Amino acid sequence: MPDPQPDTCAPGALSVAMRVIVLGVVNVTPDSFSDGGLWAFAEAAIERGLALVGEGADWLDIGGESTRPGAELVSEDEERARVLPVFEALAKRTEVPLSIDTRRASVADAALVRGARVVNAVAGLRDPELAAVCAAHGATLILNHMRGEPATMQHDPVYCDVVAEVRDELLAEALRAERAGVARERIWLDPGLGFGKHPRAHNLPLLAELDRLVATGYPVLIGASRKSFIGALTGAKAEARLPGSLAAATAAVLAGARAIRAHDVAATRQAVDVASAIRAARRTEEL
Ligand code: HH2
């Protein structure tokens, strides 16, 4: 089974180990912002996951609760009922690692028991048990940065230096996770584009200066796919944001992101492979 951990590669080396991971998004929800309702039932979600693997996904990110701005959060029972059958089936039908996109330690635990290997902590470590659950399972942990709660997070978020604040808050959470027993090399950071961020004033510097997060040494994941800041910049509706999503993914890979979370896997795979080849070529020239 391929491991979602990043390969280490010698500084400056031109290496296939630099392959950037593409996570295919499987939203088992009726209300996700770009594909709500399309894969809301287990069978459709399972088929969607398998199709994304066919498109080139290295990893599937499965979630049962929309965290779009303004979303009402679902009950734990509802979240479990949505995602657990999908993990049970996909763990048997594909070899790619599966991640559970959740706020809740209990849901993460149940998904890990059913074959998930990664926890995508979309609200960071607000659930104080989440890191311990990851440690107990030896799971990889993605720490996503979110200011506020989905229902209100886009109501006038304020930062002085958004890049430094997001980085420092993520580093503090990484330290908490390590203290709870998660191995350092199993921790990923995600600046959480759109999660309590102004479309231009916050998301753009986070992408433009992503190298400052990459410089922490933790592998960095970016989820820009179809997000509303692309709509704010271009006027495109969610279903027409693929070109903008690819531009953001390309910028992230050139800055050193190690994984891209995407709804449109085939197109993202191609953009990411070309961007990482360009980045690798620059690294050899620097030798
Ligand atoms: N974005 C979404 C959900 N989970 N996790 C990480 N680590 N990073 C992200 O950027 C991220 C995430 C939002 O996208 P989506 O799942 O398609 O929408 P919704 O929350 O409406 O289900």
Side-chain angles (χ1 to χ4, degrees), residues 15-274:
S15 168
V16 286
M18 283 303 287
R19 176 178 162 99
V20 172
I21 289 166
V22 175
L23 281 80
V25 177
V26 181
N27 283 323
V28 200
T29 59
D31 58 343
S32 286
F33 76 94
S34 75
D35 57 358
L38 289 180
W39 335 105
F41 296 101
E43 287 202 352
I46 293 159
E47 292 310 316
R48 174 66 173 165
L50 295 173
L52 293 181
V53 173
E55 286 186 29
D58 302 294
W59 174 349
L60 294 176
D61 187 41
I62 300 159
E65 178 178 75
S66 172
T67 45
R68 74 188 189 287
E72 291 296 329
L73 302 174
V74 301
S75 72
E76 179 181 338
D77 285 349
E78 177 65 27
E79 190 183 359
R80 292 171 74 100
R82 289 178 183 177
V83 295
L84 297 185
V86 179
F87 279 97
E88 259 163 23
L90 281 175
K92 292 188 195 112
R93 293 181 63 184
T94 178
E95 301 248 299
V96 306
L98 308 177
S99 60
I100 170 69
D101 180 338
T102 188
R103 298 176 294 122
R104 293 185 170 104
S106 55
V107 174
D109 188 49
L112 290 164
V113 166
R114 287 162 180 80
R117 292 172 49 192
V118 183
V119 174
N120 178 9
V122 67
L125 297 182
R126 279 173 216 201
D127 183 331
E129 301 304 319
L130 201 48
V133 164
C134 286
H137 288 273
T140 293
L141 171 63
I142 301 164
L143 292 169
N144 184 55
H145 184 274
M146 182 192 283
R147 269 271 172 100
E149 300 295 330
T152 53
M153 66 191 177
Q154 291 307 100
H155 297 177
D156 197 24
V158 175
Y159 301 82
C160 290
D161 176 343
V162 64
V163 181
E165 285 170 56
V166 167
R167 178 196 60 202
D168 293 349
E169 289 171 25
L170 284 173
L171 286 175
E173 291 230 303
L175 196 59
R176 276 179 64 202
E178 285 172 47
R179 288 197 178 128
V182 183
R184 190 182 200 283
E185 64 274 13
R186 294 217 164 267
I187 298 174
W188 289 62
L189 304 183
D190 182 333
L193 300 179
F195 290 101
K197 317 279 175 355
H198 183 276
R200 289 166 194 265
H202 300 144
N203 291 317
L204 294 183
L206 283 168
L207 272 174
E209 299 174 30
L210 193 64
D211 51 331
R212 291 169 68 190
L213 192 56
V214 170
T216 61
Y218 290 95
V220 170
L221 166 71
I222 286 289
S225 182
R226 302 182 182 172
K227 284 204 171 155
S228 62
F229 77 92
I230 297 170
L233 292 168
T234 64
K237 294 203 182 321
E239 61 277 11
R241 292 180 189 154
L242 177 58
S245 304
L246 298 181
T250 300
V253 171
L254 290 176
R258 298 302 312 274
I260 301 295
R261 184 180 183 276
H263 302 84
D264 304 285
V265 166
T268 306
R269 173 86 271 153
Q270 189 178 109
V272 158
D273 286 349
V274 172

